[in-house]
Amino acid sequence: MFHLVLSTLAFFQFGHGTTGEASVLTMDERSQVLQVAVEEVKGKIPILAGTGTINPVHVKEMTLQAIDIGCDASLVVTPYYVKPPQRGLIKHFSDMADIGLPVVMYNIPGRTKVDLSPESTAILADHPKIIGLKDATGDLDRVEKIRSLVGDKSHLLLYSGEDGSSPEFVMKGGDGCISVTANVAPKEVHDLMMASLNGDTKLVKKINEPLLGLHKNLFLESNPIPVKWALWRMGLIKSPNCRPPLADLASNFHNDVEAALKSAGLLGLDTEQAAVETKSELF
């Protein structure tokens, strides 16, 4: 709703990702979150539900739930910790796509310790239900490599999963980003992506410079710890608390995140007052 209130033309509404603490939600809680998303934005912007985990049985269960509730696509992360080989990854994503809900694959080796190769990505692009890749490797050369391997499979969308390099990713041939910074600055990130898609380097620099502190400081601790504190500081949520095993943002990082919000123009009189009102409701 924050995005809609700001008249942000988001490409999709993403539910149940890392930033949404999906790993510690029950199936009932997942259902509640997705139902709210469907009720609020279905038909306005596509709804992408995160349904990835280690066990394929659980991925299927969450994907079927997303279908039943009315989501438009799923984001499926490479199975983490167990480090499957490339042939295992190809089978995993193919099996999940066979369920019927369009799939955006998610490659984030820094968290999962397994890397979906460009060659495997190209093989998977043949599947009609595999529609995209969220790439959080930080390797900008992969955009051109994947494009060259995929060839005319133009339905495969490439999204950056790294806020700090997402403009460069898009200008090298990507289609957008799945962003953490957009949780606090949706309009700014939308405008940044549009300028990047248009190849307007001057406008990209103008929009992105005030956001650089957010791209950095929202990762001072594990996501979503800093961004949740930032949303609370802006008065948009009632608590900065994260569920265990995560924790609240360490106090020594408060000033850094607040400074980034101010540099981005996200803490003014209105947000200061909202924050005061939100805090007063908590006590």
Side-chain angles (χ1 to χ4, degrees), residues 15-80:
H16 291 331
T18 305
T19 311
E21 298 181 80
S23 298
V24 291
L25 294 181
T26 67
M27 287 297 286
D28 285 344
E29 289 171 329
R30 291 178 61 87
S31 177
Q32 291 175 43
V33 172
L34 292 180
Q35 285 174 3
V36 169
V38 168
E39 289 169 4
E40 296 292 346
V41 303
K42 181 72 172 179
K44 299 174 183 177
I45 51 178
I47 300 168
L48 178 65
T51 64
T53 188
I54 299 176
N55 189 336
V57 174
H58 294 158
V59 180
K60 182 177 180 180
E61 181 184 13
M62 291 187 287
T63 301
L64 290 172
Q65 179 191 60
I67 292 172
D68 290 343
I69 292 172
C71 297
D72 299 296
S74 62
L75 183 78
V76 180
V77 70
T78 54
Y80 41 88

Side-chain angles (χ1 to χ4, degrees), residues 133-209:
L133 170 72
K134 176 184 176 182
D135 184 283
T137 64
D139 182 1
L140 295 175
D141 292 334
R142 285 205 176 195
V143 184
E144 295 175 346
K145 186 169 186 179
I146 291 171
R147 288 289 188 215
S148 66
L149 289 169
V150 169
D152 60 359
K153 303 181 187 80
S154 59
H155 70 274
L156 190 74
L157 299 167
L158 298 180
Y159 295 112
S160 169
E162 298 281 347
D163 280 293
S165 58
S166 61
E168 293 86 351
F169 183 98
V170 171
M171 288 189 285
K172 280 180 171 286
D175 296 289
C177 71
I178 297 177
S179 168
V180 173
T181 300
N183 284 276
V184 297
K187 184 179 187 305
E188 291 81 358
V189 173
H190 169 267
D191 292 348
L192 177 63
M193 289 297 98
M194 293 305 297
S196 301
L197 286 166
N198 292 329
D200 190 336
T201 55
K202 288 185 178 179
L203 185 56
V204 165
K205 183 177 180 181
K206 179 181 178 181
I207 297 170
N208 199 37
E209 280 190 348

